[in-house]
């Protein structure tokens, strides 16, 4: 087994302290991308765990089907169209994961030259039912074992997107077979680069797949959605006790919502909550599913007040100042507004205000001597402007 494969195993599964438990979890991930017989554009999941990969693929597949084709019905999806949709979707996710300027893409597949007996349990026809998949997957894992499976895979590299698309299309049968989901996941990870992923994950010692319950981590979901394996769902980066916590920097094509926000365990930023297309992955405590619509009005561009509030919160993560009456902000930002032009000023005494490191602008009777316009967020909400204001919005 190569050193690269060993690093990949540890990144995904963690240190193998309990091989029996590893095989149990691993078995649940041994399925391919299988289309439903009753719903032509729907991908099926047979056991808990691989929804962390299947749901993002389903979301991007729907994006292509709903907004890049002229079909009148998304339910009607013949086999040839399924093949084209799936391969294009896998390529799109691989492309977003590629962070190398040279455009190097990786596909993980089976080693060539192996005997038929060694791969007989792997390369069979796609599963037709959950019962068949569950039985055949368990049998394949029992025959191959966790270590043997990883000894049978290889990495292939491509320098251009056209080469990648041809290879993905040529290997279509592999994506639908027993280990298609894992092979695609490994392809994404190697395309991104193991070191790049470790640099983005908050705790690189935690595996991408939970070794106890088998669910995918938020870093894994974010990698497939945005191309970045960050561990958080808020907008931009934050600092906590001198530690930089990475978040989502750009509006995602497909969104993410979670029940955990309603329970106040986290807060999803607008880059994921308001995606470019009305398609969302929705997470509960134990599962991921996909919501979607065809109405683009659901993801209309942000109003000026929403832009101001989002930028303000990057400087005030705890939302210590509430901006409640957005109509005040809308009146202020009637003209074209660039969030990048917004500066946040905070003062630590009644006599001075800080603007960036080492720069001070003195106050006199609550006004800037420079004559620039200053608006107090507290005044924009409900209270009166007082000396205790924490922040100012400055144009």
């Amino acid at each position: 087994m190569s050193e690269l494969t060993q690093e990949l195993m540890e990144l995904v599964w963690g240190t193998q302290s309990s091989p029996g438990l590893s095989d149990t979890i691993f078995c649940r991930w041994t399925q391919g991308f299988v289309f439903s017989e009753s719903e032509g554009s729907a991908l099926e999941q047979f056991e808990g765990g691989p929804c962390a990969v299947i749901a993002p693929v389903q979301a991007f597949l729907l994006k292509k089907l709903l907004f890049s084709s002229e079909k009148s019905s998304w339910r009607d999806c013949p086999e040839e169209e399924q093949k084209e949709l799936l391969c294009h979707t896998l390529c799109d996710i691989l492309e977003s994961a590629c962070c190398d300027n040279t455009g190097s893409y990786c596909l993980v597949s089976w080693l060539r030259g192996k005997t038929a007996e060694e791969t007989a349990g792997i390369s069979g026809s796609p599963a037709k039912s959950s019962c068949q998949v569950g039985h055949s997957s368990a049998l394949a894992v029992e025959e191959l074992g966790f270590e043997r499976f990883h000894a049978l895979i290889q990495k292939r590299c491509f320098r251009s997107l056209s080469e990648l698309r041809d290879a993905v299309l040529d290997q279509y049968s592999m994506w639908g077979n027993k280990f298609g989901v894992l092979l695609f996941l490994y392809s994404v990870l190697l395309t991104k680069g193991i070191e790049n992923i470790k640099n983005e994950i908050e705790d690189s010692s935690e595996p991408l797949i939970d070794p106890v319950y088998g669910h995918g981590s938020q870093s894994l979901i974010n990698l497939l959605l945005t191309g970045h394996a960050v561990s958080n769902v808020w907008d931009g980066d934050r600092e906590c006790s001198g530690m930089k916590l990475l978040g989502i920097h750009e509006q995602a094509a497909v969104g993410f919502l979670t029940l955990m926000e309603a329970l106040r365990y986290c807060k999803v930023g607008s880059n994921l909550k308001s995606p470019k297309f009305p398609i969302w992955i929705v997470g509960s405590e134990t599962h991921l599913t996909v919501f979607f619509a065809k109405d683009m009005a659901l993801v209309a561009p942000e109003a000026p007040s929403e832009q101001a509030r989002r930028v303000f919160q990057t400087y005030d993560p705890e939302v210590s100042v509430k901006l409640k009456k957005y109509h005040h902000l809308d009146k202020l930002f009637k003209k074209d507004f660039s969030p990048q032009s917004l500066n946040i000023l905070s003062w630590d005494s009644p006599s001075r205000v800080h603007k960036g490191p080492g720069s001070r602008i003195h106050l006199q009777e609550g006004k800037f001597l420079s004559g620039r316009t200053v608006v107090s967020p507290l005044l924009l909400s409900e209270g009166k402007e007082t000396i205790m204001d924490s922040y100012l919005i400055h144009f």
Side-chain angles (χ1 to χ4, degrees), residues 54-68:
I54 295 174
V57 171
Q58 176 72 85
F60 280 98
L61 187 149
L62 284 169
K63 177 178 80 72
K64 188 166 187 63
L65 180 64
L66 295 174
F67 302 102
S68 299

Side-chain angles (χ1 to χ4, degrees), residues 311-312 315-316 321 341-349 352-357 359-363 367-370 372-377 388-395:
V311 176
F312 185 83
Y315 294 88
D316 184 27
V321 178
S341 66
L342 185 64
N343 295 318
I344 303 298
L345 307 177
S346 63
W347 73 67
D348 56 5
S349 78
R352 64 181 181 273
V353 63
H354 292 284
K355 181 187 178 186
S359 173
R360 295 180 178 180
I361 304 176
H362 291 272
L363 293 175
K367 298 180 180 179
F368 281 108
L369 295 177
S370 62
R372 296 183 179 181
T373 304
V374 179
V375 181
S376 163
M388 299 303 295
D389 285 345
S390 298
Y391 296 92
L392 299 173
I393 298 180
H394 163 247
F395 302 92

Side-chain angles (χ1 to χ4, degrees), residues 72-369:
S72 58
S73 173
W74 52 269
R75 295 178 181 273
D76 181 22
C77 195
E79 185 175 350
E80 191 60 33
E81 188 173 0
Q82 290 175 348
K83 177 179 179 179
E84 183 181 352
L85 278 172
L86 179 61
C87 290
H88 275 83
T89 298
L90 300 185
C91 287
D92 288 345
I93 295 176
L94 285 167
E95 184 181 8
S96 70
C98 181
C99 59
D100 187 354
N101 293 331
T102 60
S104 178
Y105 307 96
C106 295
L107 281 185
V108 176
S109 59
W110 301 114
L111 281 169
R112 296 179 180 178
K114 294 295 178 182
T115 63
E117 290 79 6
E118 286 179 308
T119 56
I122 302 169
S123 57
S125 59
K128 298 299 182 183
S129 70
S130 60
C131 179
Q132 291 172 351
V133 167
H135 175 72
S136 59
S137 297
L139 180 62
V141 172
E142 184 180 352
E143 291 175 349
L144 290 175
F146 182 84
E147 298 286 340
R148 186 58 181 156
F149 165 79
H150 289 91
L152 289 173
I153 60 176
Q154 68 174 355
K155 180 183 78 168
R156 299 168 58 199
C157 295
F158 304 90
R159 284 294 182 185
S160 70
L161 194 56
S162 60
E163 291 179 2
L164 175 69
R165 293 189 186 279
D166 291 340
V168 170
L169 195 60
D170 289 341
Q171 297 179 184
Y172 173 71
S173 60
M174 184 182 72
W175 307 124
N177 290 330
K178 297 171 187 174
F179 298 96
V181 168
L182 276 178
L183 291 174
F184 174 67
L185 171 59
Y186 288 2
S187 299
V188 173
L189 298 180
L190 292 182
T191 296
K192 176 71 176 179
I194 292 177
E195 285 304 315
N196 292 327
I197 292 173
K198 288 181 177 180
N199 291 335
E200 291 180 345
I201 293 178
E202 208 159 274
D203 184 357
S204 59
S205 64
E206 292 187 4
L208 294 177
I209 296 177
D210 186 88
V212 177
Y213 301 105
H215 58 72
S217 68
Q218 188 64 50
S219 296
L220 173 56
I221 298 168
N222 287 346
L223 174 61
L224 295 170
L225 284 181
T226 68
H228 299 283
V230 297
S231 303
N232 304 297
V233 293
W234 57 58
D235 292 340
D237 301 335
R238 298 183 180 181
E239 286 197 13
C240 179
S241 301
M243 182 171 59
K244 188 175 183 180
L245 306 178
L246 304 180
I248 308 299
H249 283 265
E250 298 178 352
Q251 183 184 25
V254 169
F256 177 79
L257 303 171
T258 174
L259 178 63
M260 298 297 103
E261 182 169 12
L263 299 176
R264 299 192 180 278
Y265 285 110
C266 69
K267 183 174 178 60
V268 181
S270 61
N271 284 332
L272 285 175
K273 194 174 289 182
S274 301
K276 296 177 182 177
F277 297 91
I279 303 172
W280 292 266
I281 292 175
V282 182
S284 66
E285 300 98 322
T286 58
H287 190 52
L288 296 171
T289 190
V290 179
F291 284 7
F292 66 97
K294 299 183 71 173
D295 186 2
M296 289 296 292
L298 294 173
V299 288
E302 286 182 310
S305 60
E306 294 171 334
Q307 287 183 314
R309 189 175 191 273
R310 174 168 55 82
V311 176
F312 185 83
Q313 286 182 349
T314 63
Y315 294 88
D316 184 27
E318 302 301 323
V319 197
S320 61
V321 178
K322 304 291 185 182
L323 301 181
K324 297 179 180 179
K325 292 188 176 180
Y326 297 122
H327 61 273
H328 290 299
L329 290 171
D330 285 330
K331 291 178 181 178
L332 281 170
F333 303 143
K334 284 182 179 179
K335 298 181 179 180
D336 291 338
F337 169 66
S338 172
Q340 288 75 21
S341 66
L342 185 64
N343 295 318
I344 303 298
L345 307 177
S346 63
W347 73 67
D348 56 5
S349 78
S351 62
R352 64 181 181 273
V353 63
H354 292 284
K355 181 187 178 186
S359 173
R360 295 180 178 180
I361 304 176
H362 291 272
L363 293 175
Q364 182 178 11
E365 297 180 356
K367 298 180 180 179
F368 281 108
L369 295 177

